[in-house]
Amino acid sequence: MALFVGGTEKTFGKVLQVISDTKASTGSSTALASGGNFTDLMSANITLATTSSKVMITCMVNTGASNASDATCLLRCLRDSTQIAGGTASGNRISTTSGKGTDNQGGHTQLMKTVHWIDSPSSTSQITYKVQFAKRGGGGGTAYVGQSYDDSNDTEEQRTPCCLTLTEIGA
Amino acid sequence: MAHKIDMAEAILAINPKAEVSIFEENYDTIQWFPGTSVISKADIEAKQAELQTAYDNKKYQRDRAAEYPPVVDQLDDIYHNGIDAWKATIKTTKDKYPKG
């Protein structure tokens, strides 16, 4: 397939490799995102074919919270030890990949959070991408992944997976 | 639906400032962040049991709260029918879910 823009043919990138990490386990955190106390949730290693390759990061996490105000689950992405896919921190406002959501609309709810991000690491050394989680707010409560807060033994509750996929796109 | 008190809730009940993460409700996976003192597995389990009992003992309150008419309707009931009629309406729910 060819795509012409203004009479000029545009070329497409090629998928060179796909790597993923999935988790079907449940997790919880009382640690504060504002203190930088994130917990590793998923990680995947990739070694790019060329320095000009890009990495498409795709991620899905289902989160719950014990409280509708505090304790909602925040996500952060890292390339090795460098934060990526974050907003610009400003004053006391911290940089994260996802913000406060409606994780808790009552104790039985979860919120699916997705990430799509293009990274240009300019490296052919092995890189580790990570997705981390922590809770929002200075009050009490707990953030959850893969489950709701109530998580009672009932068919109205769900256990949910999370996944991280890295796709190398060549020029 | 009964809520099961989890390890994180028990840890926060012991130390409201605790910062931890846990996977699969497994004590051995607990990450204790700096500034948070480690709490023994026995102490966490004892607190879980204590909180679970307290939660279960208040089931009648949750059942009643879910079944009471909306406050606006209760005010309307009082206005039109008086306090005694309103008390009779409320008593129906209280009797249905007695204190344990």
Side-chain angles (χ1 to χ4, degrees):
Chain A
M1 186 177 78
L3 175 66
F4 289 86
V5 178
T8 304
E9 182 178 0
K10 298 292 183 183
T11 57
F12 293 89
K14 300 177 182 66
V15 172
L16 301 182
Q17 59 176 319
V18 178
I19 293 171
S20 67
D21 183 24
T22 60
K23 288 231 174 351
S25 57
T26 58
S28 58
S29 177
T30 67
L32 292 167
S34 56
N37 290 335
F38 284 79
T39 297
D40 291 350
L41 180 60
M42 293 177 289
S43 68
N45 298 325
I46 190 168
T47 302
L48 303 182
T50 69
T51 56
S52 62
S53 290
K54 297 182 185 305
V55 179
M56 182 169 69
I57 302 155
T58 311
C59 169
M60 175 195 76
V61 182
N62 289 281
T63 65
S66 64
N67 185 297
S69 177
D70 289 330
T72 57
C73 189
L74 303 184
L75 302 179
R76 184 170 76 172
C77 297
L78 299 180
R79 180 209 313 125
D80 293 327
S81 59
T82 302
Q83 186 183 350
I84 60 170
T88 304
S90 176
N92 291 324
R93 289 159 286 211
I94 62 174
S95 171
T96 57
T97 300
S98 72
K100 176 190 174 187
T102 50
D103 309 44
N104 183 315
Q105 297 281 331
H108 309 297
T109 61
Q110 295 180 54
L111 182 65
M112 179 188 283
K113 294 173 179 172
T114 58
V115 178
H116 295 274
W117 193 262
I118 299 293
D119 191 37
S120 302
S122 302
S123 170
T124 53
S125 300
Q126 179 177 284
I127 302 165
T128 301
Y129 286 93
K130 286 182 183 175
V131 177
Q132 303 176 312
F133 75 109
K135 78 166 180 178
R136 172 203 173 269
T142 307
Y144 296 90
V145 293
Q147 66 167 85
S148 66
Y149 164 58
D150 271 342
D151 195 43
S152 53
N153 186 18
D154 190 284
T155 54
E156 292 303 310
E157 302 290 345
Q158 302 87 38
R159 292 291 180 85
T160 50
C162 51
C163 68
L164 167 66
T165 302
L166 306 177
T167 305
E168 180 182 359
I169 309 292
Chain B
M1 288 175 278
H3 171 68
K4 184 177 182 299
I5 302 296
D6 60 38
M7 285 184 152
E9 290 177 281
I11 289 169
L12 286 176
I14 295 168
N15 174 8
K17 298 288 186 189
E19 295 197 54
V20 301
S21 63
I22 308 164
F23 286 97
E24 291 292 331
E25 282 292 280
N26 181 344
Y27 182 84
D28 295 332
T29 72
I30 297 178
Q31 180 178 358
W32 303 90
F33 284 91
T36 300
S37 299
V38 173
I39 301 168
S40 73
K41 185 178 182 182
D43 285 350
I44 294 171
E45 289 176 344
K47 181 58 75 174
Q48 277 183 277
E50 175 192 327
L51 295 175
Q52 191 70 56
T53 299
Y55 177 87
D56 292 345
N57 286 344
K58 290 182 177 175
K59 182 175 186 305
Y60 76 96
Q61 292 182 356
R62 294 187 294 276
D63 290 339
R64 288 177 177 181
E67 202 159 298
Y68 284 139
V71 170
V72 170
D73 291 349
Q74 292 187 43
L75 290 171
D76 204 44
D77 189 20
I78 292 170
Y79 179 82
H80 288 291
N81 304 311
I83 290 289
D84 288 342
W86 167 76
K87 287 174 75 172
T89 301
I90 296 301
K91 189 172 184 303
T92 304
T93 300
K94 288 185 180 294
D95 290 345
K96 184 175 178 181
Y97 302 109
K99 282 186 180 179

